[in-house]
Amino acid sequence: MVRGSQRRKLQKFTRLCGREEGLRVKRSCPSCGPELGVEEKKAKGNPISIQLFPPELVEHIISFLPVRDLVALGQTCRYFHEVCDAEGVWRRICRRLSPRLQDQGSGVRPWKRAAILNYTKGLYFQAFGGRRRCLSKSVAPLLAHGYRRFLPTKDHVFILDYVGTLFFLKNALVSTLGQMQWKRACRYVVLCRGAKDFASDPRCNTVYHKYLYVLATREQQEVVGTTSSRACDCVEVYLQSSGQRVFKMTFHHSMTFKQIVLVGQETQRALLLLTEEGKIYSLVVNETQLDQPRSYTVQLALRKVSHYLPHLRVACMTSNQSSTLYVTDQGGSVF
């Protein structure tokens, strides 16, 4: 027989043992595994989330990721999409990809586009003739802000980037055993800045590519002897063999252009200039006399397509030696 006092002590001891058992023992579940005790739950506390970090710290950490990994991280959730799309992150990445880009003072914006342009740029050469059809990589300009346009000539390559810098890769192509390939140790120079577009002889044969016509913007003094100036468009002509400028023509500040193409032969070369408003003007020069130092005035004339179709707005154009194709802003084309 167990007396009342002893029974009460036994019940109290059983309750204490059961309480300690619940604190120390981890109950197992076949589906979700062992369950933590109360004390261990209190010791562990809430899980640490990266969202609790300051946004500046998170942006600084992920800015060290490669571009490919950063884009993949931004596709995981809404939080990382906003963080990975911040301009501060892409500014650090852009400066890591092109450290000298910020020294140009070009004020590149937005930084995400600038980083993608410098991450994806590449210059390769592939020969289609013969048995060897492998790709060979060239030594590309580190200062180039992406590649907007490039023109290979017989020995050289011209590259225009997205901030208007025109690069001249001298002696970039060499012939080895009858196969053309890039010269790995070619050197490049800045031919000019402030360039909008450039054009050369429309014929495919690079033997005819003697001159390079560059459409650019230059600061011109309004009155001689004063410091006031305004931006004016001009066309500068360079020798493709040496990069030397041999000719320059400047237009009135009210005329602004965005594209240039060439039509015709050397003695009757027609320069077609597309304005920001979609109108086309032309002028004629004689290339055989460009290397002769002299000054003369040329007359701009409105092209027939803009004269007889004034409602037509041309978006871009392309040409060969005898004809020109105009693409309108509505997607149509006119010869």
Side-chain angles (χ1 to χ4, degrees):
M1 292 291 294
V2 181
R3 296 180 180 179
S5 60
Q6 293 178 347
R7 186 183 298 110
R8 288 192 295 270
K9 292 180 180 180
L10 182 60
Q11 291 176 353
K12 184 177 181 181
F13 177 77
T14 305
R15 289 196 300 268
L16 292 175
C17 290
R19 188 177 302 174
E20 293 179 1
E21 191 85 7
L23 294 176
R24 289 177 290 136
V25 177
K26 303 175 183 178
R27 292 178 297 174
S28 298
C29 176
S31 61
C32 59
E35 182 179 337
L36 296 177
V38 178
E39 294 294 333
E40 293 189 7
K41 288 183 179 180
K42 293 181 179 180
K44 187 172 181 179
N46 297 328
I48 299 177
S49 174
I50 195 173
Q51 299 183 11
L52 300 177
F53 294 173
E56 297 80 6
L57 179 60
V58 178
E59 293 179 4
H60 181 74
I61 293 174
I62 66 176
S63 64
F64 291 96
L65 292 174
V67 176
R68 185 187 302 272
D69 297 338
L70 181 65
V71 174
L73 179 63
Q75 297 175 349
T76 56
C77 65
R78 181 181 300 177
Y79 171 76
F80 280 115
H81 175 73
E82 296 177 356
V83 175
C84 295
D85 199 49
E87 283 289 285
V89 175
W90 290 102
R91 182 176 64 251
R92 297 187 185 95
I93 293 177
C94 185
R95 291 179 176 177
R96 188 176 72 244
L97 293 174
S98 299
R100 300 181 182 180
L101 183 63
Q102 56 182 340
D103 298 334
Q104 297 181 6
S106 56
V108 179
R109 295 293 189 278
W111 288 104
K112 182 177 181 179
R113 181 174 182 270
I116 296 299
L117 286 176
N118 288 275
Y119 175 74
T120 57
K121 68 180 181 182
L123 193 61
Y124 294 84
F125 176 82
Q126 181 178 12
F128 292 97
R131 297 180 179 178
R132 299 178 58 187
R133 297 188 178 183
C134 58
L135 291 173
S136 58
K137 189 175 182 179
S138 170
V139 179
L142 296 178
L143 294 178
H145 180 52
Y147 298 152
R148 180 182 172 187
R149 281 195 59 197
F150 74 96
L151 173 68
T153 62
K154 184 179 180 181
D155 301 312
H156 318 300
V157 176
F158 297 90
I159 299 177
L160 177 64
D161 70 355
Y162 282 88
V163 293
T165 305
L166 185 60
F167 295 89
F168 180 32
L169 278 67
K170 305 189 67 174
N171 301 320
L173 299 175
V174 294
S175 177
T176 304
L177 299 178
Q179 294 288 334
M180 296 297 298
Q181 62 181 2
W182 291 113
K183 185 178 179 182
R184 301 283 299 181
C186 68
R187 60 189 181 92
Y188 60 88
V189 296
V190 175
L191 188 66
C192 67
R193 301 185 186 275
K196 294 183 175 181
D197 193 18
F198 65 90
S200 184
D201 195 296
R203 287 172 285 189
C204 297
N205 194 341
T206 57
V207 177
Y208 299 106
H209 293 179
K210 182 178 180 181
Y211 294 104
L212 185 73
Y213 293 77
V214 181
L215 175 64
T217 301
R218 298 285 181 262
E219 292 290 334
Q220 300 290 337
Q221 292 186 355
E222 296 185 14
V223 181
V224 179
T226 62
T227 57
S228 59
S229 61
R230 63 174 59 188
C232 298
D233 284 356
C234 64
V235 172
E236 299 176 344
V237 184
Y238 295 85
L239 277 174
Q240 293 192 11
S241 58
S242 61
Q244 178 185 1
R245 194 181 74 179
V246 296
F247 187 77
K248 178 181 179 181
M249 61 184 76
T250 304
F251 307 105
H252 193 265
H253 62 84
S254 61
M255 303 292 294
T256 57
F257 306 99
K258 64 178 183 179
Q259 189 183 1
I260 178 174
V261 297
L262 305 182
V263 182
Q265 298 182 356
E266 294 84 351
T267 56
Q268 197 74 8
R269 184 75 73 192
L271 280 66
L272 305 186
L273 299 167
L274 177 62
T275 66
E276 298 289 346
E277 294 76 19
K279 303 298 181 181
I280 301 175
Y281 289 84
S282 65
L283 58 92
V284 179
V285 296
N286 187 353
E287 282 190 357
T288 61
Q289 301 177 357
L290 289 180
D291 54 354
Q292 301 177 7
R294 62 194 185 97
S295 176
Y296 61 92
T297 302
V298 294
Q299 183 67 33
L300 275 175
L302 190 64
R303 202 70 174 176
K304 289 183 179 180
V305 64
S306 297
H307 180 73
Y308 292 108
L309 300 173
H311 63 282
L312 192 66
R313 181 182 177 92
V314 178
C316 62
M317 55 184 177
T318 184
S319 67
N320 58 20
Q321 185 180 0
S322 58
S323 61
T324 308
L325 174 67
Y326 307 104
V327 179
T328 66
D329 57 352
Q330 302 297 326
S333 59
V334 180
F335 280 97

